[in-house]
Amino acid sequence: METSAYAAMSAGAPLEPHTIERRDLRPHDVLIDIKYSGVCHSDIHQAREEWFTSIFPMVPGHEIAGVVSAVGSEVTKFAPGDRVGVGVFVETCMECDNCKAGLENYCVKGFVPTYNGKNYDGEVMYGGYSTAIVVDDHYVLRIPDGMELDVAAPLLCAGITTYSPLREWEAGPGKKVGIMGLGGLGHMGLKHAVAMGADVTLISHSPSKEEDAKRLGAHNFLLLSDREAMKEQAMTFDLIVNTVSAPIDLDPAINLLKTDGTMAYVGLPDKPLQMNIFGLNSQRRRIAGSNIGGIPETQEMLDFCAEHGYAADIELIDAGQINEAWDRVVNSDVRYRFVIDASTF
Ligand code: NAP
Ligand code: ZN
């Protein structure tokens, strides 16, 4: 099926209109009429080849919300008209222990990304900056009733990527949690941690974000460059979820952790980080990593957001504004997720 899209034709090239081909429906496939597509910083890292060699033309987008328009012969979970979402991966082996445990995001064979990769048959994948997508039903999520599709789209990556480490390291009442970086991921992490009942501090390098952080529910705001405040807050955090997209000096933030405290890294800077190990072993602190979340946990997160009455704070844009929006994301000037109206592709 011919599908309108926006693509980067080579590394670092601006995005431009492009046409792609979507496969015919297999028995377990769902055809989704995309309504909205979120802009993740990972789209930019990959289209600018900041992580590793990418595949071009690239149609980015792994925060997809839309409506089912057709289903394959063996699909029973979904029907035309259903409101659904698709996140960061669209195929996994479903045979390894991780897949069997609902941790498809840690599939031992390696998950097939929604874009910038090939599926197990060798087909190049194209993402959500397009009008339609075909996805195996296992990787399709249900958007809860009452949640608008535009504000739901960012939950499919930013939402689950921050929810998963908050659950894993047990954010909740009595825990002091820091969310580092107030961007797309950070603003969702902040909302989740507040909804989970933790005492939440937003840790930022942008003084201009204090008011927004408080409006979004943060109990406290901490500026990384404020030496006095950083000293006062040393040794007080149980958990810090670090969403920062750029390489930074980690030592000041590590010192914020209590004995046995954890920094869960979800940000994926393009360069290795500098850090002093003394900051870790002096208080048995830990640095951990976390990557999106599995399918069952993603559905749990969507339902949790609906139950607590929140989703993403977005700026809705047309396809023609993507390049400008990307520059704003890189300049930490997104409030707090750009979402593209797919009718403009
Ligand atoms: P984003 O909207 O650009 O937010 C990143 C935030 O990092 C900025 O808003 C800014 O917050 C902070 N920051 C940026 N440059 C900085 C600098 N030089 N020094 C200190 N802080 C800086 O990006 P995003 O979409 O939330 O993604 C964040 C990172 O997570 C990206 O690297 C992305 O690729 C990665 N990611 C990982 C996963 C995963 O599963 N692990 C999933 C999605 C995305 P302040 O202005 O508040 O300081
Ligand atoms: Zn993402």
Side-chain angles (χ1 to χ4, degrees):
M1 188 180 87
E2 275 212 343
T3 306
S4 301
Y6 259 57
M9 303 309 283
S10 60
L15 270 74
E16 57 182 84
H18 183 60
T19 302
I20 52 170
E21 187 66 26
R22 294 296 189 192
R23 68 172 181 248
D24 293 336
L25 290 193
R26 299 169 180 170
H28 274 284
D29 279 346
V30 175
L31 174 63
I32 301 166
D33 181 10
I34 300 177
K35 299 293 186 194
Y36 298 100
S37 196
V39 172
C40 179
H41 203 124
S42 304
D43 301 345
I44 304 169
H45 286 307
Q46 292 178 86
R48 296 185 177 172
E49 244 177 20
E50 291 171 351
W51 287 343
F52 41 72
T53 307
S54 295
I55 300 174
F56 295 98
M58 179 193 299
V59 175
H62 58 208
E63 292 187 338
I64 299 168
V67 176
V68 173
S69 54
V71 296
S73 56
E74 286 176 33
V75 174
T76 53
K77 265 190 345 195
F78 297 103
D82 286 354
R83 302 160 73 254
V84 295
V86 176
V88 176
F89 54 91
V90 290
E91 192 176 353
T92 59
C93 80
M94 292 311 289
E95 284 168 1
C96 70
D97 289 346
N98 287 345
C99 281
K100 285 182 189 156
L103 293 170
E104 301 92 333
N105 50 320
Y106 301 120
C107 172
V108 171
K109 186 171 173 183
F111 67 65
V112 173
T114 306
Y115 68 89
N116 194 24
K118 292 180 180 172
N119 68 8
Y120 298 153
D121 292 339
E123 180 196 359
V124 174
M125 300 283 100
Y126 297 111
Y129 293 16
S130 59
T131 53
I133 191 166
V134 175
V135 181
D136 181 289
D137 63 351
H138 183 76
Y139 308 93
V140 178
L141 287 305
R142 203 169 278 286
I143 308 285
D145 292 341
M147 185 184 280
E148 298 296 335
L149 291 179
D150 53 356
V151 294
L155 301 183
L156 278 305
C157 175
I160 181 59
T161 298
T162 48
Y163 184 89
S164 190
L166 288 166
R167 280 286 186 233
E168 177 65 24
W169 284 283
E170 299 174 344
K175 291 284 179 74
K176 181 160 168 173
V177 173
I179 303 291
M180 205 162 149
L182 187 55
L185 264 56
H187 97 289
M188 286 313 310
L190 174 52
K191 291 185 186 206
H192 293 322
V194 169
M196 289 171 188
D199 175 8
V200 187
T201 299
L202 195 288
I203 306 167
S204 174
H205 84 307
S206 306
S208 62
K209 292 183 182 171
E210 177 162 5
E211 208 179 307
D212 279 354
K214 300 261 173 78
R215 178 178 57 79
L216 291 164
H219 306 104
N220 289 298
F221 180 84
L222 184 54
L223 192 59
L224 282 161
S225 58
D226 182 342
R227 282 166 182 259
E228 267 314 296
M230 290 290 285
K231 222 186 214 168
E232 264 169 36
Q233 296 291 316
M235 299 270 301
T236 63
F237 286 82
D238 296 285
L239 170 67
I240 295 176
V241 176
N242 188 335
T243 77
V244 174
S245 54
I248 53 163
D249 175 10
L250 276 187
D251 298 336
I254 293 291
N255 284 330
L256 295 171
L257 294 170
K258 279 180 184 167
T259 307
D260 285 330
T262 300
M263 175 179 284
Y265 231 102
V266 293
L268 289 165
D270 55 339
K271 293 190 184 66
L273 301 178
Q274 271 300 112
M275 68 166 297
N276 192 331
I277 294 299
F278 280 79
L280 287 185
N281 64 8
S282 61
Q283 292 299 330
R284 203 164 61 185
R285 296 166 173 135
R286 287 174 279 244
I287 294 193
S290 187
N291 204 29
I292 34 175
I295 294 295
E297 193 172 49
T298 305
Q299 190 63 59
E300 176 191 308
M301 177 274 312
L302 287 163
D303 297 341
F304 181 88
C305 291
E307 194 184 309
H308 288 82
Y310 67 93
D313 278 30
I314 66 162
E315 278 190 60
L316 193 63
I317 58 169
D318 288 349
Q321 296 170 280
I322 294 174
N323 293 304
E324 186 192 327
W326 277 23
D327 289 339
R328 281 188 51 198
V329 171
V330 172
N331 292 326
S332 304
D333 178 27
V334 48
R335 301 284 190 278
Y336 277 92
R337 201 57 146 183
F338 288 109
V339 171
I340 311 158
D341 177 348
S343 68
T344 62
F345 285 122

mmCIF file with all atom_site columns, all heavy atoms in Angstrom, residues 24-36:
data_model
loop_
_atom_site.group_PDB
_atom_site.id
_atom_site.type_symbol
_atom_site.label_atom_id
_atom_site.label_alt_id
_atom_site.label_comp_id
_atom_site.label_asym_id
_atom_site.label_entity_id
_atom_site.label_seq_id
_atom_site.pdbx_PDB_ins_code
_atom_site.Cartn_x
_atom_site.Cartn_y
_atom_site.Cartn_z
_atom_site.occupancy
_atom_site.B_iso_or_equiv
_atom_site.pdbx_formal_charge
_atom_site.auth_seq_id
_atom_site.auth_comp_id
_atom_site.auth_asym_id
_atom_site.auth_atom_id
_atom_site.pdbx_PDB_model_num
ATOM 1   N N   . ASP A 1 24 ? 1.286  -6.001  2.579  1.00 0.00 ? 24 ASP A N   1
ATOM 2   C CA  . ASP A 1 24 ? -0.080 -6.529  2.647  1.00 0.00 ? 24 ASP A CA  1
ATOM 3   C C   . ASP A 1 24 ? -0.258 -7.188  4.017  1.00 0.00 ? 24 ASP A C   1
ATOM 4   O O   . ASP A 1 24 ? 0.696  -7.709  4.591  1.00 0.00 ? 24 ASP A O   1
ATOM 5   C CB  . ASP A 1 24 ? -0.303 -7.587  1.553  1.00 0.00 ? 24 ASP A CB  1
ATOM 6   C CG  . ASP A 1 24 ? -0.256 -6.954  0.168  1.00 0.00 ? 24 ASP A CG  1
ATOM 7   O OD1 . ASP A 1 24 ? -0.511 -5.729  0.070  1.00 0.00 ? 24 ASP A OD1 1
ATOM 8   O OD2 . ASP A 1 24 ? 0.081  -7.677  -0.799 1.00 0.00 ? 24 ASP A OD2 1
ATOM 9   N N   . LEU A 1 25 ? -1.506 -7.217  4.495  1.00 0.00 ? 25 LEU A N   1
ATOM 10  C CA  . LEU A 1 25 ? -1.760 -7.762  5.832  1.00 0.00 ? 25 LEU A CA  1
ATOM 11  C C   . LEU A 1 25 ? -1.490 -9.262  5.893  1.00 0.00 ? 25 LEU A C   1
ATOM 12  O O   . LEU A 1 25 ? -2.009 -10.035 5.093  1.00 0.00 ? 25 LEU A O   1
ATOM 13  C CB  . LEU A 1 25 ? -3.215 -7.525  6.233  1.00 0.00 ? 25 LEU A CB  1
ATOM 14  C CG  . LEU A 1 25 ? -3.653 -6.096  6.529  1.00 0.00 ? 25 LEU A CG  1
ATOM 15  C CD1 . LEU A 1 25 ? -5.025 -6.094  7.211  1.00 0.00 ? 25 LEU A CD1 1
ATOM 16  C CD2 . LEU A 1 25 ? -2.648 -5.381  7.411  1.00 0.00 ? 25 LEU A CD2 1
ATOM 17  N N   . ARG A 1 26 ? -0.691 -9.656  6.892  1.00 0.00 ? 26 ARG A N   1
ATOM 18  C CA  . ARG A 1 26 ? -0.514 -11.078 7.208  1.00 0.00 ? 26 ARG A CA  1
ATOM 19  C C   . ARG A 1 26 ? -1.634 -11.450 8.185  1.00 0.00 ? 26 ARG A C   1
ATOM 20  O O   . ARG A 1 26 ? -2.293 -10.557 8.735  1.00 0.00 ? 26 ARG A O   1
ATOM 21  C CB  . ARG A 1 26 ? 0.842  -11.297 7.876  1.00 0.00 ? 26 ARG A CB  1
ATOM 22  C CG  . ARG A 1 26 ? 2.022  -10.908 6.988  1.00 0.00 ? 26 ARG A CG  1
ATOM 23  C CD  . ARG A 1 26 ? 3.290  -10.911 7.843  1.00 0.00 ? 26 ARG A CD  1
ATOM 24  N NE  . ARG A 1 26 ? 4.451  -10.550 7.050  1.00 0.00 ? 26 ARG A NE  1
ATOM 25  C CZ  . ARG A 1 26 ? 5.644  -10.282 7.578  1.00 0.00 ? 26 ARG A CZ  1
ATOM 26  N NH1 . ARG A 1 26 ? 5.832  -10.334 8.875  1.00 0.00 ? 26 ARG A NH1 1
ATOM 27  N NH2 . ARG A 1 26 ? 6.664  -9.962  6.804  1.00 0.00 ? 26 ARG A NH2 1
ATOM 28  N N   . PRO A 1 27 ? -1.809 -12.743 8.481  1.00 0.00 ? 27 PRO A N   1
ATOM 29  C CA  . PRO A 1 27 ? -2.934 -13.136 9.343  1.00 0.00 ? 27 PRO A CA  1
ATOM 30  C C   . PRO A 1 27 ? -2.980 -12.405 10.686 1.00 0.00 ? 27 PRO A C   1
ATOM 31  O O   . PRO A 1 27 ? -4.049 -12.089 11.193 1.00 0.00 ? 27 PRO A O   1
ATOM 32  C CB  . PRO A 1 27 ? -2.722 -14.640 9.536  1.00 0.00 ? 27 PRO A CB  1
ATOM 33  C CG  . PRO A 1 27 ? -1.977 -15.072 8.311  1.00 0.00 ? 27 PRO A CG  1
ATOM 34  C CD  . PRO A 1 27 ? -1.109 -13.913 7.919  1.00 0.00 ? 27 PRO A CD  1
ATOM 35  N N   . HIS A 1 28 ? -1.798 -12.100 11.272 1.00 0.00 ? 28 HIS A N   1
ATOM 36  C CA  . HIS A 1 28 ? -1.792 -11.452 12.597 1.00 0.00 ? 28 HIS A CA  1
ATOM 37  C C   . HIS A 1 28 ? -1.563 -9.954  12.543 1.00 0.00 ? 28 HIS A C   1
ATOM 38  O O   . HIS A 1 28 ? -1.322 -9.313  13.568 1.00 0.00 ? 28 HIS A O   1
ATOM 39  C CB  . HIS A 1 28 ? -0.756 -12.123 13.509 1.00 0.00 ? 28 HIS A CB  1
ATOM 40  C CG  . HIS A 1 28 ? -1.316 -13.319 14.207 1.00 0.00 ? 28 HIS A CG  1
ATOM 41  N ND1 . HIS A 1 28 ? -2.171 -13.213 15.276 1.00 0.00 ? 28 HIS A ND1 1
ATOM 42  C CD2 . HIS A 1 28 ? -1.188 -14.637 13.938 1.00 0.00 ? 28 HIS A CD2 1
ATOM 43  C CE1 . HIS A 1 28 ? -2.531 -14.415 15.663 1.00 0.00 ? 28 HIS A CE1 1
ATOM 44  N NE2 . HIS A 1 28 ? -1.956 -15.313 14.856 1.00 0.00 ? 28 HIS A NE2 1
ATOM 45  N N   . ASP A 1 29 ? -1.631 -9.365  11.340 1.00 0.00 ? 29 ASP A N   1
ATOM 46  C CA  . ASP A 1 29 ? -1.350 -7.929  11.204 1.00 0.00 ? 29 ASP A CA  1
ATOM 47  C C   . ASP A 1 29 ? -2.574 -7.053  11.428 1.00 0.00 ? 29 ASP A C   1
ATOM 48  O O   . ASP A 1 29 ? -3.722 -7.458  11.175 1.00 0.00 ? 29 ASP A O   1
ATOM 49  C CB  . ASP A 1 29 ? -0.812 -7.624  9.802  1.00 0.00 ? 29 ASP A CB  1
ATOM 50  C CG  . ASP A 1 29 ? 0.676  -7.924  9.675  1.00 0.00 ? 29 ASP A CG  1
ATOM 51  O OD1 . ASP A 1 29 ? 1.343  -8.115  10.711 1.00 0.00 ? 29 ASP A OD1 1
ATOM 52  O OD2 . ASP A 1 29 ? 1.159  -7.967  8.519  1.00 0.00 ? 29 ASP A OD2 1
ATOM 53  N N   . VAL A 1 30 ? -2.265 -5.834  11.878 1.00 0.00 ? 30 VAL A N   1
ATOM 54  C CA  . VAL A 1 30 ? -3.288 -4.799  12.059 1.00 0.00 ? 30 VAL A CA  1
ATOM 55  C C   . VAL A 1 30 ? -2.867 -3.603  11.200 1.00 0.00 ? 30 VAL A C   1
ATOM 56  O O   . VAL A 1 30 ? -1.711 -3.186  11.244 1.00 0.00 ? 30 VAL A O   1
ATOM 57  C CB  . VAL A 1 30 ? -3.346 -4.375  13.547 1.00 0.00 ? 30 VAL A CB  1
ATOM 58  C CG1 . VAL A 1 30 ? -4.300 -3.213  13.754 1.00 0.00 ? 30 VAL A CG1 1
ATOM 59  C CG2 . VAL A 1 30 ? -3.753 -5.561  14.426 1.00 0.00 ? 30 VAL A CG2 1
ATOM 60  N N   . LEU A 1 31 ? -3.793 -3.082  10.411 1.00 0.00 ? 31 LEU A N   1
ATOM 61  C CA  . LEU A 1 31 ? -3.522 -1.854  9.638  1.00 0.00 ? 31 LEU A CA  1
ATOM 62  C C   . LEU A 1 31 ? -4.053 -0.680  10.449 1.00 0.00 ? 31 LEU A C   1
ATOM 63  O O   . LEU A 1 31 ? -5.228 -0.660  10.844 1.00 0.00 ? 31 LEU A O   1
ATOM 64  C CB  . LEU A 1 31 ? -4.211 -1.923  8.270  1.00 0.00 ? 31 LEU A CB  1
ATOM 65  C CG  . LEU A 1 31 ? -4.128 -0.650  7.414  1.00 0.00 ? 31 LEU A CG  1
ATOM 66  C CD1 . LEU A 1 31 ? -2.686 -0.293  7.035  1.00 0.00 ? 31 LEU A CD1 1
ATOM 67  C CD2 . LEU A 1 31 ? -4.972 -0.806  6.130  1.00 0.00 ? 31 LEU A CD2 1
ATOM 68  N N   . ILE A 1 32 ? -3.160 0.276   10.725 1.00 0.00 ? 32 ILE A N   1
ATOM 69  C CA  . ILE A 1 32 ? -3.532 1.420   11.571 1.00 0.00 ? 32 ILE A CA  1
ATOM 70  C C   . ILE A 1 32 ? -3.493 2.702   10.750 1.00 0.00 ? 32 ILE A C   1
ATOM 71  O O   . ILE A 1 32 ? -2.488 3.001   10.084 1.00 0.00 ? 32 ILE A O   1
ATOM 72  C CB  . ILE A 1 32 ? -2.579 1.529   12.781 1.00 0.00 ? 32 ILE A CB  1
ATOM 73  C CG1 . ILE A 1 32 ? -2.633 0.242   13.615 1.00 0.00 ? 32 ILE A CG1 1
ATOM 74  C CG2 . ILE A 1 32 ? -2.926 2.742   13.648 1.00 0.00 ? 32 ILE A CG2 1
ATOM 75  C CD1 . ILE A 1 32 ? -1.503 0.102   14.625 1.00 0.00 ? 32 ILE A CD1 1
ATOM 76  N N   . ASP A 1 33 ? -4.583 3.438   10.827 1.00 0.00 ? 33 ASP A N   1
ATOM 77  C CA  . ASP A 1 33 ? -4.674 4.761   10.241 1.00 0.00 ? 33 ASP A CA  1
ATOM 78  C C   . ASP A 1 33 ? -4.058 5.694   11.293 1.00 0.00 ? 33 ASP A C   1
ATOM 79  O O   . ASP A 1 33 ? -4.655 5.918   12.342 1.00 0.00 ? 33 ASP A O   1
ATOM 80  C CB  . ASP A 1 33 ? -6.181 5.030   10.033 1.00 0.00 ? 33 ASP A CB  1
ATOM 81  C CG  . ASP A 1 33 ? -6.440 6.359   9.408  1.00 0.00 ? 33 ASP A CG  1
ATOM 82  O OD1 . ASP A 1 33 ? -5.479 6.994   8.956  1.00 0.00 ? 33 ASP A OD1 1
ATOM 83  O OD2 . ASP A 1 33 ? -7.628 6.767   9.383  1.00 0.00 ? 33 ASP A OD2 1
ATOM 84  N N   . ILE A 1 34 ? -2.831 6.178   11.024 1.00 0.00 ? 34 ILE A N   1
ATOM 85  C CA  . ILE A 1 34 ? -2.134 6.989   12.037 1.00 0.00 ? 34 ILE A CA  1
ATOM 86  C C   . ILE A 1 34 ? -2.792 8.366   12.127 1.00 0.00 ? 34 ILE A C   1
ATOM 87  O O   . ILE A 1 34 ? -3.043 9.011   11.111 1.00 0.00 ? 34 ILE A O   1
ATOM 88  C CB  . ILE A 1 34 ? -0.625 7.127   11.698 1.00 0.00 ? 34 ILE A CB  1
ATOM 89  C CG1 . ILE A 1 34 ? 0.040  5.736   11.661 1.00 0.00 ? 34 ILE A CG1 1
ATOM 90  C CG2 . ILE A 1 34 ? 0.076  8.035   12.715 1.00 0.00 ? 34 ILE A CG2 1
ATOM 91  C CD1 . ILE A 1 34 ? 1.512  5.752   11.268 1.00 0.00 ? 34 ILE A CD1 1
ATOM 92  N N   . LYS A 1 35 ? -3.078 8.773   13.340 1.00 0.00 ? 35 LYS A N   1
ATOM 93  C CA  . LYS A 1 35 ? -3.649 10.112  13.569 1.00 0.00 ? 35 LYS A CA  1
ATOM 94  C C   . LYS A 1 35 ? -2.582 11.075  14.081 1.00 0.00 ? 35 LYS A C   1
ATOM 95  O O   . LYS A 1 35 ? -2.564 12.236  13.691 1.00 0.00 ? 35 LYS A O   1
ATOM 96  C CB  . LYS A 1 35 ? -4.800 10.039  14.587 1.00 0.00 ? 35 LYS A CB  1
ATOM 97  C CG  . LYS A 1 35 ? -5.965 9.158   14.145 1.00 0.00 ? 35 LYS A CG  1
ATOM 98  C CD  . LYS A 1 35 ? -6.679 9.747   12.948 1.00 0.00 ? 35 LYS A CD  1
ATOM 99  C CE  . LYS A 1 35 ? -7.930 8.940   12.593 1.00 0.00 ? 35 LYS A CE  1
ATOM 100 N NZ  . LYS A 1 35 ? -8.444 9.300   11.263 1.00 0.00 ? 35 LYS A NZ  1
ATOM 101 N N   . TYR A 1 36 ? -1.722 10.592  14.981 1.00 0.00 ? 36 TYR A N   1
ATOM 102 C CA  . TYR A 1 36 ? -0.705 11.453  15.593 1.00 0.00 ? 36 TYR A CA  1
ATOM 103 C C   . TYR A 1 36 ? 0.597  10.677  15.777 1.00 0.00 ? 36 TYR A C   1
ATOM 104 O O   . TYR A 1 36 ? 0.575  9.482   16.045 1.00 0.00 ? 36 TYR A O   1
ATOM 105 C CB  . TYR A 1 36 ? -1.173 11.968  16.959 1.00 0.00 ? 36 TYR A CB  1
ATOM 106 C CG  . TYR A 1 36 ? -2.412 12.816  16.860 1.00 0.00 ? 36 TYR A CG  1
ATOM 107 C CD1 . TYR A 1 36 ? -3.667 12.275  17.153 1.00 0.00 ? 36 TYR A CD1 1
ATOM 108 C CD2 . TYR A 1 36 ? -2.336 14.140  16.431 1.00 0.00 ? 36 TYR A CD2 1
ATOM 109 C CE1 . TYR A 1 36 ? -4.811 13.044  17.031 1.00 0.00 ? 36 TYR A CE1 1
ATOM 110 C CE2 . TYR A 1 36 ? -3.483 14.917  16.311 1.00 0.00 ? 36 TYR A CE2 1
ATOM 111 C CZ  . TYR A 1 36 ? -4.713 14.364  16.605 1.00 0.00 ? 36 TYR A CZ  1
ATOM 112 O OH  . TYR A 1 36 ? -5.832 15.118  16.471 1.00 0.00 ? 36 TYR A OH  1
#
